[in-house]
Amino acid sequence: MNATLSAVLDFPFAGPPGPGEAVAVAPGVTWIRMPLPFALDHINLWLLRDDDGWTAVDCGLGLADTRALWERHFASTLDGRPIRRIVATHFHPDHVGNAAWLAARFGCPVAMTSAEFLTAHAVAGEHSGYSVAGIVDFFRRHGLAADHLSGLERRGNRYRQGAPELPATFERLLDGDTLRAGGTTWRVVEGHGHSPEHAALFSAERGVLVSGDMLLPKITTNISAAQTEPDADPLARFLDSLAAFDALPPDTLVLPSHGLPFRGIPLRTAELRAHHAARLADLVAAIEADGGPPRSAADVVPVLFRRELDLQQRFFAMGEAIAHLNHLWRTERVDRRVAADGAVCYAPRR
């Protein structure tokens, strides 16, 4: 869901680096940007420099244009030093899509949490409950129209298009672990809701947080229910995760995956809580309107997303609507009903 860019956050950089360019944002920390072929058209990547090489935090989609930009950085930004380690904040293809390619090129390890590594392989291989057929059936039970379901079926496994290969081995990160990179120590700050075990990195010495998708300055990160956990409450997990970021110094420089670096963590987390509280209230009002007839997740997507959606956006919108409705159900603000055929709808609390 979109949110309003906060006027009270501090944005120390006027704009992002251009294609193939790099910007130093802190001692030992370099910012590069890669394109995405979506409405959200970019991802920020972070290079942490040491005397003997670099640690790359996230790596972009595994597409030809992204790899061409990487080749430009190999020849210029890396200054003749190899990549010694790749850190993937989470399994989404714009973050891990080039991990195997970079690891093979430089003979370096990929570090990520266990749940993110395993989920990447499950989604790419369509096993362990993850499949196109599974998500289509999940959305069918939540009321998505037949033409949109057909569109999802036709597009197939989009994950493999963005992550055509995945690392076969990894170095496991755990919440609270530390690693040395960029001449300083980084502590893993785990988050949930957007992905299973998202790993942000915090350097107390530098006053810098590589936040991945957990803290974004302009948009709210996608919080979706998945077919593998159809009754879960990922929104509660996300909101609970914000406490770990609230505990960081308020003047921390936040390096997000999308948007511009900013300062003002407490302001942003307060905005995120308020945003989700408002959207939940909107959903309750919509469910109670007109005498409260049962409504599906597809019925209330326009309440959360008040604009035309393409197929990619509708995929995320359905997951987000189900996540918010599950939260209302779990917190006993609405009732959930499941029909004999598995169709799910929501109604006013009795």
Side-chain angles (χ1 to χ4, degrees):
M1 289 180 290
N2 284 341
T4 302
L5 176 63
S6 174
V8 294
L9 296 179
D10 172 32
F11 293 91
F13 299 92
E21 297 177 352
V23 172
V25 295
V29 183
T30 297
W31 175 19
I32 63 175
R33 178 172 277 201
M34 297 291 180
L36 297 177
F38 317 121
L40 182 59
D41 62 3
H42 71 275
I43 179 172
N44 300 321
L45 311 179
W46 312 98
L47 298 172
L48 313 179
R49 178 173 177 165
D50 289 306
D51 290 340
D52 65 343
W54 299 83
T55 292
V57 183
D58 291 333
C59 48
L61 289 173
L63 302 177
D65 58 348
T66 305
R67 293 183 178 183
L69 283 175
W70 267 116
E71 294 288 351
R72 291 172 61 178
H73 287 295
F74 297 157
S76 57
T77 307
L78 298 191
D79 193 29
R81 293 174 171 83
I83 293 176
R84 296 291 190 186
R85 181 202 290 121
I86 300 152
V87 174
T89 58
H90 59 296
F91 82 93
H92 293 160
D94 51 331
H95 297 260
V96 78
N98 285 306
W101 177 70
L102 288 171
R105 184 179 185 114
F106 290 99
C108 65
V110 177
M112 56 197 305
T113 64
S114 181
E116 301 294 337
F117 176 81
L118 296 174
T119 303
H121 282 274
V123 174
E126 296 197 53
H127 59 76
S128 305
Y130 291 96
S131 67
V132 173
I135 194 66
V136 167
D137 181 63
F138 183 46
F139 286 172
R140 177 183 293 111
R141 289 186 285 111
H142 281 274
L144 190 60
D147 57 333
H148 295 309
L149 294 170
S150 296
L152 289 175
E153 289 177 324
R154 287 193 302 271
R155 79 171 191 166
N157 189 326
R158 288 294 295 272
Y159 187 88
R160 282 202 299 263
Q161 296 175 33
E165 53 193 336
L166 291 168
T169 62
F170 74 114
E171 291 183 347
R172 186 178 182 184
L173 299 178
L174 294 167
D175 186 41
D177 278 355
T178 59
L179 57 89
R180 291 286 301 179
T184 190
T185 298
W186 301 84
R187 173 170 60 87
V188 175
V189 182
E190 197 170 287
H192 309 99
H194 176 65
S195 68
E197 290 177 354
H198 183 293
L201 300 177
F202 174 64
S203 167
E205 179 185 17
R206 297 282 192 264
V208 173
L209 171 73
V210 180
S211 66
D213 280 351
M214 287 299 296
L215 290 181
L216 304 175
K218 183 177 180 180
I219 59 174
T220 59
T221 195
N222 179 259
I223 310 297
S224 283
Q227 72 270 32
T228 50
E229 288 186 279
D231 300 336
D233 186 355
L235 179 57
R237 295 173 185 168
F238 175 76
L239 295 173
D240 288 346
S241 294
L242 295 180
F245 299 101
D246 283 330
L248 303 180
D251 62 347
T252 296
L253 176 64
V254 180
L255 306 181
S257 291
H258 310 285
L260 298 177
F262 68 95
R263 290 188 174 91
I265 288 176
L267 298 170
R268 189 59 183 143
T269 56
E271 288 179 335
L272 292 172
R273 291 185 179 97
H275 170 82
H276 286 292
R279 297 293 78 77
L280 291 166
D282 289 343
L283 285 176
V284 172
I287 289 169
E288 292 177 346
D290 303 320
R295 299 180 190 274
S296 69
D299 290 334
V300 301
V301 161
V303 176
L304 298 179
F305 298 88
R306 299 162 189 174
R307 64 185 188 277
E308 290 296 318
L309 302 173
D310 61 25
L311 186 62
Q312 175 80 357
Q313 293 166 335
R314 188 164 294 278
F315 171 83
F316 289 117
M318 277 294 293
E320 188 113 15
I322 298 166
H324 280 70
L325 289 166
N326 276 0
H327 183 74
L328 291 172
W329 167 56
R330 290 291 190 182
T331 55
E332 300 184 343
R333 294 175 64 185
V334 301
D335 283 341
R336 194 181 77 153
R337 302 174 185 175
V338 182
D341 63 357
V344 181
C345 63
Y346 301 81
R349 183 74 175 167
R350 290 192 295 267

